[in-house]
Structures are given as C-alpha cells and as structure tokens.
Amino acid sequence: LQGQLGILEAMMGNNYNGYLLSPLSNENLNTAADTLKTEGLPLVNVNCEFIEVADVFVGSMQLDIGRLAGEYIGEKLGGKGKVAIIEGVPGSYTSTSRVQGFKEVIESKYPDIEIVASQPADYEREKGMNVATNILNANPDLNAIYGCNDNMALGAIEALRTMGKLGEVLVIGIDGTGGAYESVKKGELTGTIDQFPMRT
C-alpha cells in the first residue's frame, strides 16, 4: 500500500495533466488524490477500490460480480450443498462487495446451500491454496469454492490437486485471467467471471 502511494507521489512531480488511479485499498491513495483535486486535475478511478474524490469511476460493479458467482454456483449445485468463500484483502471494497453479492444470492435464493467458511487470502495464490487446504480438511464434504479472484481460485485448484480431490469440488474465480482460462480448458477450474466494463 505504501509502495503504491510512493509511486503516485513520485508521478505527481512530473506535472501530468490528469491521472488514472487503481488503488489497492479504499484509503491508501486518498492523501495524494485530495492534493490532485485541490490542483483541479482530472482524476479517474479505474476498477476495483473506491476513491471518493475521483471525477468518475470506470470499472465493473463488484456487487453484481458476486451475485453472478452466487447464481452460477447455486444452479450448478442444484440448490443444495456446502460452499466456502475465499475472500480477498479484509475490509477492501472489492472483496467486501464480491462476498456480499454472493451471500445475498445464496441466502435469498438457495436456502439449502450452506456457506461453511469464509476466510481471507489477500488475493494471493499461495495463501489461497493454504486457506483452501484448511477449509477442505475441516469440511471434507465441501461441494464448491468461490474465490474472490482467479489467483486464489487457482490456489484452491492446487489444494484440490494435492489432496487428490481435483474435479470433485466446483471452483469459481473472478477476473478472467489467462491462467484461469487455461485451467478451465484443462477441466480444472470450473469457471471464471470476466469483467467487461464497456458492457452495461
């Protein structure tokens, strides 16, 4: 977080005419963004986390992404089963919204699906693998894993592979990364929710 802020502060010394910012958290670029606004420079918030003083936000609606994941898993499981969530960075707008949208759909439309765990893995693949391993050990009858990004979902795939359960548990990720698409083609990752901000 401090590293990203440092990069922006260094860029501010170059007298650019406008800025497109994709912050790692809702707060880490706020001091610099406030300075840019007082200077009257255009400020665009690009994807994911939220900058309150930005002139415009360009990106996907994170709540809807979570809802899509909930609908997909709910349908694939036939409305019954056990699901775990691997969250992103705790307290981040993106992770909170993706989890909230997912839970909203599962709890309102699929009452026979139980969310047995919801733990953060900071959007990192290795942490996703570790969290998935712990969840699977505690819930051997788990039916699906919802990873709040592809890195963590691919980490969950590695956990399943190591445990000899690959193909037995649905795994959904988010972002539509190249690695996720390759995993889907191999029949490992069940799916990924790609983001197309130009489509409303």
Side-chain angles (χ1 to χ4, degrees):
L1 300 179
Q2 287 301 314
Q4 189 186 41
L5 176 60
I7 291 169
L8 176 56
E9 289 173 341
M11 294 175 86
M12 289 167 65
N14 294 329
N15 298 316
Y16 293 124
N17 296 319
Y19 293 82
L20 291 86
L21 306 179
S22 182
L24 293 172
S25 77
N26 291 352
E27 295 85 21
N28 72 301
L29 298 184
N30 282 356
T31 55
D34 289 341
T35 299
L36 293 171
K37 285 306 294 179
T38 60
E39 295 174 2
L41 295 171
L43 188 58
V44 179
N45 187 174
V46 183
N47 206 19
C48 296
E49 310 311 328
F50 187 65
I51 299 174
E52 188 172 355
V53 299
D55 298 300
V56 65
F57 174 84
V58 180
S60 305
M61 299 305 293
Q62 305 302 322
L63 200 62
D64 288 343
I65 289 171
R67 290 171 178 153
L68 284 171
E71 291 285 0
Y72 185 82
I73 287 179
E75 290 174 10
K76 291 289 276 187
L77 293 182
K80 295 181 179 180
K82 294 183 178 182
V83 180
I85 302 170
I86 304 181
E87 306 170 14
V89 175
S92 67
Y93 172 79
T94 304
S95 180
T96 301
S97 298
R98 290 176 180 182
V99 170
Q100 180 183 340
F102 182 82
K103 286 183 174 179
E104 177 185 298
V105 168
I106 296 298
E107 291 169 1
S108 65
K109 294 187 67 174
Y110 302 101
D112 292 328
I113 292 180
E114 180 185 1
I115 299 173
V116 297
S118 187
Q119 299 175 18
D122 300 336
Y123 294 125
E124 296 179 19
R125 187 167 181 160
E126 185 174 353
K127 288 184 179 179
M129 180 179 70
N130 294 336
V131 167
T133 299
N134 293 337
I135 290 173
L136 287 161
N137 282 330
N139 302 275
D141 55 348
L142 191 69
N143 302 111
I145 295 172
Y146 164 48
C148 286
N149 82 340
D150 286 338
N151 284 340
M152 298 184 299
L154 290 171
I157 291 296
E158 291 307 313
L160 288 165
R161 190 192 321 279
T162 301
M163 300 174 79
K165 291 189 171 186
L166 191 61
E168 297 178 16
V169 179
L170 301 178
V171 183
I172 301 297
I174 296 173
D175 289 335
T177 63
Y181 278 117
E182 286 301 314
S183 185
V184 170
K185 288 176 184 176
K186 292 176 184 176
E188 300 171 342
L189 188 65
T190 309
T192 179
I193 299 174
D194 210 335
Q195 301 186 63
F196 298 96
M198 73 291 289
R199 299 180 188 175
T200 54

